[in-house]
Amino acid sequence: MCLAAQARAQETVDVQDSPAEQPDLQSAPADTPQAATAATAGQTGSPSFQAPSNTALPPSPMASEDPDQVQFTADRIDYDYEKDIVTATGDVRLYRRSDRLRADNVVWNRNTGQVTAQGNIVVINPEGDAAYGDRIELTDTLKDGVVENMLVVLDAGGRVAAERGRRDNGVITVEKAAYTPCAVTDMAGCPKEPSWKITAERVVYDPTIGRIRYTGARVSMFGLLSLPLPSFSHPVGGSSDDGFLAPDLRISRTNGFQFALPYFFSLAPNRDLTVTPRVFTGALPMLQAEYRALTDIGSYRVTGYGTYSRRADDLTVPLTDETSRNDFRGYIDAVGRFQLDTNWSASASIRTASDRTFLRRYDISRDDRLRNNLRVERIDQDSYFSINAWAVQTLRVGERQGAQPIALPEIDYRRRMDDGILGGRLQFQLNTLAIARTDGQDSQRAFASAQWDMRRLTPWGQEVTLTAYGRADAYNTHDTLETVESYRGLEGFQFRGIGALALDVKWPLIGAAFGGTQRLTPRVQIVASPKTNNMDVPNEDARAVDLEDSNLFALNRFSGYDRFDDSTRVTVGLDYALYLPGISVDANIGQSYRLSSQDSILPDGTGLSDRTSDIVGRTVVRFRDFVSLTHRYRLDKDDLAIRRNEVDATVGSRSTYVQVGYLRLDRNIGLILEDLQDREEARLGARVQLTRFWSASGSILIDLTDSKEDILSQADGYDPVRHRLGVAYEDDCLRLGLTWRRDYQTTGDARRGNSFLLALAFKNLGR
């Protein structure tokens, strides 16, 4: 069957697609031999080719100490004294230094120094490249020679086949050749057409620089599509060198047809630069550059984009010549991390754009806020110290940049230790934060806190945890008038004290059930905390609060430090787990009861504003590696109405699967709290492995929000945001894909419409 397939493949070759007759890339073993083994002189039996082992040749006891002298072994040796010709037959192996030769028959003319080998020839150079051929003529140094019907299997990956080739001082030159790094046999071991290959009139391979150069070349894919490459070269294997990378082709509603051709500069083994010119039919050209470096203590990357084009990022006015203008537009993205010693490290992330729609228009990123951070950290077994600086650039149309916070600095220190008396654990924290705005509220904060935890197991199996917490805060606030009242705090210096005591009891009950194991864990928590002057200080980091299963038993159910849940409360819950062969179920449910009658600072709709909280829970179901389902919910305490409904499900294998996501927040919160708006959305994604190498994928995001969830929404409850469909081919050495994406929203000069992306990558072609 393999021979028949090979015959059919040879019959379908289009000679016009290649500058020469197609050489055979499958005729030699796929495994490259690395060294030869010694054969015993006088061995009987007909010789046959075997892949040489990885064991080095042992020194012959009669060998000369001169490393340049050629040594050999064979089944039979004949010597013509008159002509000074040595003829070796039967598994002949010659070696000199790291150059090796194996053949069925070798004739060595000692007068001329010419070595002629025939039959099952393998020549291996010091770099590990193996050359196969029918007949070869070499010098007696085994370095230089000519091979007929040649196949070179490169140690770095790939193979070169040719009608005739020669090696001169280690440089291999072949005529009418073909090169491919792809597999040339299928899973059954039968010959197959490689995914892509390069044919050329002349190919030169220099192993010292690890690069292959072509003259009169063409590249073909699947034996069908053929493109000319008048002058082309590439490094072998995983090495890098200067040169062009795979082009990027796109079609978008905003920019028209896009073409990008990256050029890679290998500046050093640890540094490189990629420059990518991008041209568009619907916009002026853009230049992209990426610099990467690896140092002794870390690495960093800097990417920049720049163009000169028309922009309009203000949707409140009509798009006219007066409201839009040509200007420089660009984006910088830099990231780096350095490990200074065992404990100390430094990192940075810098992202800034010239305007609010540049990233979306050129399909670079869909982020609506760019966060910049500088950080120095020290971490050891029992302590943590960090100095942070933060700055945010908003890309949201309608938001004021002057209202965005600049945190400089944020200093945080934490240390934990055993109390040494009761067997508990102490943790101390010191924190300071300064937030400034160019057009808005400024504030500074500092606090010191201590927390003590003691965990014990009773004879009945209950897990009991005692917690004591205390904190002292100092705040200074300015320019509060434009801030939402519940977030602003009082002007000037304010001081605050926080304290809390907590008792947490869990009682896990484990037993057999339904052919597996189940665990039922009732849980009760009591927290006592005196009234805190929360409203006297600003709220910068604890705005997005919501009752969830993750914070139901938290000591402070706010997300940050500026607000503290000062209620005295009892929280009850139940955890359940069931483990069956191939199936697992994890679920929890709980509710909180506030004992104090004081008004809650938590706003309506969060599930915590009344004395009795809403009911929250989570269920996770897994069936082997095929099904994963997570459901989170919050039920209204009065009528069990669903206030939060979130589903994430994945069904399928790694190659073929469907992902579904759904979120609905119906919290009935007023417009004054912009961080807690309601919404409803659905996400759907899928991937299908059509064949071994072909796959199709798609995804869609739908905004289901209407006026019932958000009174400002103009949507009808079904508003697609964007979708993506694609088909891809990927094997061991080629990746090809076509993607169609549609955006349904227009923002500034980033208009709604269709975009098409063609991706083509030749693997194992170096970089």
Side-chain angles (χ1 to χ4, degrees), residues 368-415:
D368 57 5
R369 283 175 177 163
L370 302 181
R371 294 172 175 84
N372 298 269
N373 173 241
L374 299 174
R375 172 177 298 182
V376 177
E377 288 182 307
R378 186 188 187 280
I379 304 175
D380 61 27
Q381 183 174 356
D382 295 311
S383 69
Y384 171 80
F385 174 73
S386 71
I387 301 176
N388 269 291
W390 293 88
V392 177
Q393 179 185 6
T394 181
L395 303 182
R396 298 181 180 182
V397 175
E399 275 193 350
R400 291 184 296 119
Q401 179 58 43
Q404 303 307 310
I406 301 173
L408 182 67
E410 180 195 24
I411 303 176
D412 191 45
Y413 175 73
R414 307 179 193 185
R415 185 169 184 83

Side-chain angles (χ1 to χ4, degrees), residues 68-277:
D68 290 326
Q69 181 173 338
V70 176
Q71 303 181 45
F72 64 93
T73 61
D75 292 347
R76 177 173 176 173
I77 298 177
D78 297 318
Y79 182 62
D80 187 337
Y81 287 94
E82 294 182 359
K83 298 181 180 179
D84 202 9
I85 295 177
V86 179
T87 302
T89 56
D91 194 18
V92 184
R93 301 178 184 237
L94 284 74
Y95 53 96
R96 172 191 172 275
R97 293 186 181 269
S98 297
D99 293 286
R100 300 169 185 272
L101 167 68
R102 189 250 183 244
D104 292 340
N105 180 272
V106 174
V107 177
W108 178 14
N109 189 325
R110 299 186 63 185
N111 290 324
T112 63
Q114 183 183 51
V115 178
T116 303
Q118 292 180 328
N120 293 321
I121 299 170
V122 184
V123 181
I124 304 175
N125 65 9
E127 288 76 23
D129 305 320
Y132 301 86
D134 295 338
R135 185 176 184 276
I136 184 171
E137 295 180 0
L138 296 170
T139 62
D140 53 11
T141 62
L142 302 186
K143 283 186 175 182
D144 305 330
V146 178
V147 185
E148 295 178 358
N149 193 17
M150 180 181 184
L151 174 67
V152 179
V153 179
L154 306 177
D155 184 64
R159 52 182 61 198
V160 179
E163 292 183 357
R164 181 179 177 86
R166 69 178 184 274
R167 188 172 70 171
D168 187 7
N169 292 325
V171 178
I172 299 174
T173 302
V174 294
E175 310 292 339
K176 297 182 179 180
Y179 165 80
T180 183
C182 307
V184 294
T185 57
D186 57 19
M187 297 184 64
C190 298
K192 75 177 186 70
E193 183 70 22
S195 300
W196 66 269
K197 64 182 178 181
I198 300 175
T199 56
E201 290 288 349
R202 186 169 180 264
V203 178
V204 178
Y205 169 57
D206 189 345
T208 58
I209 61 175
R211 194 169 188 88
I212 298 179
R213 299 185 180 276
Y214 303 85
T215 302
R218 301 180 71 91
V219 59
S220 60
M221 292 184 294
F222 308 109
L224 301 174
L225 179 63
S226 181
L227 300 174
L229 297 171
S231 180
F232 181 69
S233 68
H234 64 83
V236 176
S239 61
S240 63
D241 203 349
D242 297 353
F244 289 101
L245 304 182
D248 183 7
L249 301 176
R250 305 186 186 195
I251 300 176
S252 70
R253 171 70 176 84
T254 303
N255 301 314
F257 178 76
Q258 309 177 31
F259 175 77
L261 185 61
Y263 191 88
F264 181 82
F265 296 91
S266 181
L267 306 178
N270 64 323
R271 294 182 294 113
D272 60 58
L273 173 66
T274 304
V275 178
T276 307

Side-chain angles (χ1 to χ4, degrees), residues 350-380:
I350 307 297
R351 302 180 67 195
T352 181
S354 60
D355 55 84
R356 304 194 180 198
T357 59
F358 178 80
L359 295 182
R360 179 176 170 183
R361 170 171 181 170
Y362 292 99
D363 199 21
I364 299 171
S365 171
R366 307 196 71 84
D367 293 341
D368 57 5
R369 283 175 177 163
L370 302 181
R371 294 172 175 84
N372 298 269
N373 173 241
L374 299 174
R375 172 177 298 182
V376 177
E377 288 182 307
R378 186 188 187 280
I379 304 175
D380 61 27

Side-chain angles (χ1 to χ4, degrees), residues 619-637:
T619 303
V620 179
V621 179
R622 290 186 175 89
F623 174 69
R624 303 188 186 278
D625 291 331
F626 189 75
V627 176
S628 175
L629 171 67
T630 301
H631 179 217
R632 292 182 174 88
Y633 58 89
R634 176 158 67 87
L635 306 178
D636 191 284
K637 63 184 183 305

Side-chain angles (χ1 to χ4, degrees), residues 97 201 324 399 672 707 736 756:
R97 293 186 181 269
E201 290 288 349
S324 64
E399 275 193 350
I672 192 171
S707 57
L736 175 66
F756 298 90

